[in-house]
Amino acid sequence: MARAGIGYFDHSGHFHKTPQEATLRDLADVLGRVGEREGLSAGIAQILLEKRYEIEKVFFEHDAMLAEQKTRHADEQDHHDLEERKNTVTVFSALG
């Protein structure tokens, strides 16, 4: 006798019994073919899913460092621009 159930679909539309299976398939698709023969994509996808929290933390910290670097670079540029203006004023004052 037939019965209703819950299924999960990956981005390609393939059915999976669990969310993990669907996510692993999507991750493997994103990775593409890694390695020889059957490839390593499925294994890497499994590790990515298992280590998700740690991986997200690394990317969060990476994004924070990039933002800090961008701010520091902008501050350095502002300081450089201010020094250039001071030098320009000094030259004009000496000429005048």
Side-chain angles (χ1 to χ4, degrees):
M1 175 177 203
R3 61 186 174 107
I6 295 176
Y8 303 89
F9 295 88
D10 61 31
H11 285 107
S12 298
H14 296 103
F15 174 82
H16 300 277
K17 293 180 183 178
T18 67
Q20 290 81 4
E21 289 175 3
T23 301
L24 288 172
R25 183 70 246 163
D26 284 340
L27 285 171
D29 287 346
V30 167
L31 291 170
R33 185 166 183 83
V34 179
E36 296 181 19
R37 294 187 187 166
E38 295 180 21
L40 303 172
S41 299
I44 294 170
Q46 180 69 40
I47 292 168
L48 290 174
L49 189 59
E50 289 173 359
K51 302 285 185 175
R52 177 181 174 174
Y53 172 76
E54 293 89 344
I55 292 167
E56 287 177 347
K57 182 178 176 189
V58 169
F59 279 112
F60 175 79
E61 292 169 353
H62 175 74
D63 291 344
M65 288 186 288
L66 289 178
E68 181 181 333
Q69 179 187 42
K70 184 177 180 181
T71 300
R72 187 173 46 254
H73 179 70
D75 290 345
E76 290 170 357
Q77 187 62 45
D78 289 345
H79 178 74
H80 176 73
D81 292 347
L82 181 60
E83 289 299 315
E84 285 291 316
R85 279 186 245 134
K86 284 181 184 177
N87 291 337
T88 302
V89 170
T90 303
V91 169
F92 284 125
S93 295
L95 295 174

